[in-house]
């Protein structure tokens, strides 16, 4: 009896978040995506460790093909991620730079030094430049599509900023009340 009761109750799915808080679900999806991308990249990097005695240039090429391609897919939405999500991707790239240069923890090389040695840009910079190249290509190859999308995006942004500024005006133009006072005064007579 107890086991059938347990199986008949279902846990709420994560898809139910949309009705309550759509922003939370979209950020959850991006967080999940970043976690998956990082896991795939680290798995690919662990497979490359058998080549640790190869020349650094060869290891760099292997990194670019197997690890970074897993980290940056898809580039357009990823370039606008939160700093904490970008740092997750960056930590995977930092491990790869240590692999490429054969740096050990006791070498005390900073990530910036390792990035200079390997001639790799930080992930946030690379994602920004990559997205910029894609949008430039869309603008030159499909100008009507680019114009349609950017004008639609600007209209949505303008509407959002207008609504936000109106909400702020309403919030800050209301008279402040002391937390202990009430709207209806209660007097004793």
């Amino acid at each position: 009896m107890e086991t059938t009761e347990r199986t008949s109750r279902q846990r709420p799915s994560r898809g139910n978040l949309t009705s309550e808080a759509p922003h939370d679900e979209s950020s959850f999806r991006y967080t999940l995506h970043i976690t998956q991308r990082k896991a795939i990249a680290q798995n690919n990097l662990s497979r490359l460790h058998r080549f640790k005695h190869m020349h650094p240039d060869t290891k760099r090429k292997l990194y670019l093909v197997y690890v970074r391609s897993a980290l940056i897919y898809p580039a357009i939405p990823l370039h606008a991620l939160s700093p904490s999500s970008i740092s997750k991707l960056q930590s995977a790239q930092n491990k790869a730079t240590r692999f490429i240069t054969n740096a050990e923890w006791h070498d005390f090389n900073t990530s910036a030094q390792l990035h200079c040695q390997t001639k790799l840009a930080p992930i946030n910079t690379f994602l920004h430049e990559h997205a910029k190249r894609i949008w430039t290509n869309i603008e030159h190859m499909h100008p009507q599509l680019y114009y349609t999308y950017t004008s639609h995006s600007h209209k949505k942004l303008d509407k959002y900023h207008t609504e936000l500024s109106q909400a702020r005006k309403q919030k800050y133009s209301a008279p402040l009340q002391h937390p202990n006072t009430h709207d209806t005064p209660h007097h004793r007579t």
Side-chain angles (χ1 to χ4, degrees), residues 80-187:
L81 286 174
S82 67
S84 62
S85 295
I86 292 288
S87 68
K88 289 179 185 179
L89 297 177
Q90 186 62 50
S91 69
Q93 179 166 312
N94 292 345
K95 289 177 185 178
T97 57
R98 288 191 294 276
F99 159 72
I100 293 169
T101 59
N102 290 327
E104 298 291 331
W105 67 270
H106 52 78
D107 291 339
F108 299 109
N109 290 330
T110 64
S111 293
Q113 290 170 333
L114 296 175
H115 279 80
C116 286
Q117 288 177 8
T118 57
K119 297 177 185 161
L120 293 172
I123 282 290
N124 62 340
T125 306
F126 178 80
L127 286 173
H128 176 76
E129 292 299 322
H130 189 59
K132 189 175 172 183
R133 280 193 307 268
I134 290 173
W135 282 112
T136 303
N137 287 342
I138 292 172
E139 182 180 14
H140 288 96
M141 297 178 129
H142 306 286
Q144 186 60 36
L145 177 66
Y146 179 80
Y147 175 75
T148 303
Y149 185 74
T150 55
S151 64
H152 179 69
S153 298
H154 290 302
K155 287 176 187 174
K156 283 178 74 176
L157 279 174
D158 290 343
K159 182 181 175 187
Y160 171 75
H161 288 298
T162 303
E163 291 172 357
L164 184 64
S165 65
Q166 288 173 351
R168 284 184 178 160
K169 283 179 186 176
Q170 288 175 353
K171 180 180 178 180
Y172 294 116
S173 65
L176 294 176
Q177 292 184 346
H178 191 274
N180 293 333
T181 61
H182 301 285
D183 289 338
T184 56
H186 298 287
H187 296 287

Side-chain angles (χ1 to χ4, degrees), residues 24-126:
D24 293 339
E25 192 213 340
S26 65
S27 63
F28 171 76
R29 273 192 253 140
Y30 276 118
T31 304
L32 181 64
H33 177 77
I34 294 301
T35 304
Q36 290 172 344
R37 291 283 108 197
K38 182 180 175 183
I40 291 168
Q42 287 181 335
N43 185 25
N44 291 350
L45 181 62
S46 69
R47 291 178 182 178
L48 294 180
H49 278 285
R50 69 181 112 169
F51 303 114
K52 72 178 187 177
H53 297 295
M54 295 185 93
H55 192 270
D57 290 338
T58 307
K59 291 193 289 188
R60 182 181 183 276
K61 289 176 185 173
L62 288 171
Y63 160 76
L64 292 174
V65 171
Y66 292 108
V67 181
R68 185 159 77 180
S69 62
L71 281 176
I72 65 167
Y73 177 80
I76 292 292
L78 289 184
H79 81 284
L81 286 174
S82 67
S84 62
S85 295
I86 292 288
S87 68
K88 289 179 185 179
L89 297 177
Q90 186 62 50
S91 69
Q93 179 166 312
N94 292 345
K95 289 177 185 178
T97 57
R98 288 191 294 276
F99 159 72
I100 293 169
T101 59
N102 290 327
E104 298 291 331
W105 67 270
H106 52 78
D107 291 339
F108 299 109
N109 290 330
T110 64
S111 293
Q113 290 170 333
L114 296 175
H115 279 80
C116 286
Q117 288 177 8
T118 57
K119 297 177 185 161
L120 293 172
I123 282 290
N124 62 340
T125 306
F126 178 80

